[in-house]
Amino acid sequence: MSTKPSNIGRWIGAIIAAIVLVAVSFVGFRAFNARAHANAELQSGAQSPQSDTAAQSGTQSGDAPQSAQPTPVDVPKPTPPPNLYAGGQIGAQATSQWYVDLWAYAFNTGDTEDLMKVCQVEGYCDAFAHDLERMHTDSYLVKPLTNQYLQTNKIYECSLQKAGTEGICVEFTFLQTPAVFRYLTEEKASEEYDTISTVTGEEINNEQTLFRVLFLEERGDTWVVTHIWDH
């Protein structure tokens, strides 16, 4: 569903491009996870369903005022969910919710410090942080992306056969709406990223319910995300 940025308008006498940036789960994750899935077969143990949880990250905002100095959109830092350090499946489930919240915050602000403490997916996390640095250098946020964690569908002990690692798998759904960024030059708006894709102008306000599977490994008293699958 990826398209090239197309909505070009006039802004203070200069040509800018208004593009809608959506979660990497639509394109970037799919490309990355195809490689990850080919290298690791997932084996699951006994399943134990968890109660539904809900949390929302990010705030909604209208278009930025048309001024020479764009007003920054206020995006508050997410609050860690309860049981984040509880350990076991409860802690892993809380970490999956925390990951979704931190991902949206990093996307909207370019601040990846907390996300990188949780995101340990080889080949993706560093590339995503690099793309966000480029994007936030060349553009400004008009409307934040929002992620709302809806429910945990399954949580169970699992392993990656070829990697020989044990962990917890969390399957969950969340609701997402796209963000809007504006670039100050047409040249920057036409650049492409490895982990970020765009949607058409007609899809700017579309909410989508997404399904994700995280493989988490325990590191000390915390869980980290080391593999991701979208379905």
Side-chain angles (χ1 to χ4, degrees), residues 2-209:
S2 176
T3 61
K4 294 187 180 296
S6 59
N7 297 326
I8 308 298
R10 186 166 295 277
W11 181 72
I12 307 298
I15 295 179
I16 66 167
I19 72 169
V20 183
L21 298 174
V22 298
V24 69
S25 57
F26 295 153
V27 173
F29 269 165
R30 294 189 188 280
F32 171 77
N33 290 328
R35 295 192 295 271
H37 193 66
N39 295 328
E41 295 180 6
L42 187 65
Q43 280 195 330
S44 63
Q47 298 180 0
S48 58
Q50 296 290 311
S51 59
D52 294 352
T53 60
Q56 185 165 353
S57 169
T59 57
Q60 295 287 350
S61 171
D63 287 350
Q66 299 297 305
S67 62
Q69 296 296 326
T71 302
V73 177
D74 181 28
V75 180
K77 248 187 175 180
T79 301
N83 302 316
L84 186 60
Y85 301 103
Q89 293 187 359
I90 294 177
Q93 188 279 329
T95 302
S96 67
Q97 177 179 326
W98 185 225
Y99 174 84
V100 169
D101 290 347
L102 288 178
W103 193 96
Y105 176 75
F107 190 90
N108 289 324
T109 65
D111 180 0
T112 61
E113 181 179 1
D114 290 334
L115 175 67
M116 296 299 285
K117 295 176 183 177
V118 179
C119 187
Q120 301 291 323
V121 183
E122 184 179 359
Y124 164 68
C125 300
D126 288 340
F128 182 55
H130 176 68
D131 281 348
L132 286 182
E133 181 180 359
R134 289 171 53 207
M135 185 177 75
H136 282 272
T137 297
D138 301 329
S139 64
Y140 66 92
L141 182 69
V142 175
K143 186 188 78 169
L145 172 145
T146 65
N147 281 341
Q148 181 182 356
Y149 194 104
L150 298 178
Q151 67 177 25
T152 300
N153 302 322
K154 294 179 183 177
I155 180 169
Y156 48 90
E157 294 181 358
C158 54
S159 63
L160 297 176
Q161 278 187 310
K162 294 183 179 179
T165 55
E166 304 288 334
I168 297 291
C169 285
V170 182
E171 302 180 9
F172 62 93
T173 54
F174 65 103
L175 187 69
Q176 184 178 89
T177 57
V180 176
F181 282 78
R182 284 203 178 118
Y183 287 80
L184 298 180
T185 66
E186 183 179 356
E187 179 183 1
K188 292 297 182 183
S190 64
E191 290 187 358
E192 295 185 357
Y193 304 93
D194 293 331
T195 63
I196 299 170
S197 61
T198 65
V199 295
T200 64
E202 290 77 12
E203 298 172 302
I204 288 177
N205 296 315
N206 287 358
E207 294 182 333
Q208 295 209 33
T209 300

